[in-house]
Amino acid sequence: MAVKITHHTNGQQVRFANADGARRYAEIMGGGVDKWDFTDVPGEPELPKMSGSVVNVPVWRMTSK
């Protein structure tokens, strides 16, 4: 299930596909789990549904001269 976390002090909100990702972000990047509120996002599947069609995405190589 998708999870949204909200920082206690500054109100920053970040969405994650699952609780494990949200917890890891809060621990490593956000100063600790105790500084965040965790909220389940209702009605959202854990993984997005993939269409059967193929999409080609162009990739540009960045080179410095």
Side-chain angles (χ1 to χ4, degrees), residues 20-48:
D20 290 335
R23 203 173 302 111
R24 184 167 169 80
Y25 176 87
E27 288 174 355
I28 296 172
M29 302 296 293
V33 176
D34 57 328
K35 296 182 180 181
W36 296 84
D37 287 325
F38 289 73
T39 308
D40 290 336
V41 179
E44 300 248 348
E46 188 169 321
L47 297 174

Side-chain angles (χ1 to χ4, degrees), residues 41-65:
V41 179
E44 300 248 348
E46 188 169 321
L47 297 174
K49 294 181 181 175
M50 302 297 287
S51 67
S53 61
V54 175
V55 177
N56 292 320
V57 179
V59 177
W60 290 272
R61 179 174 290 211
M62 302 297 290
T63 59
S64 59
K65 295 183 178 184

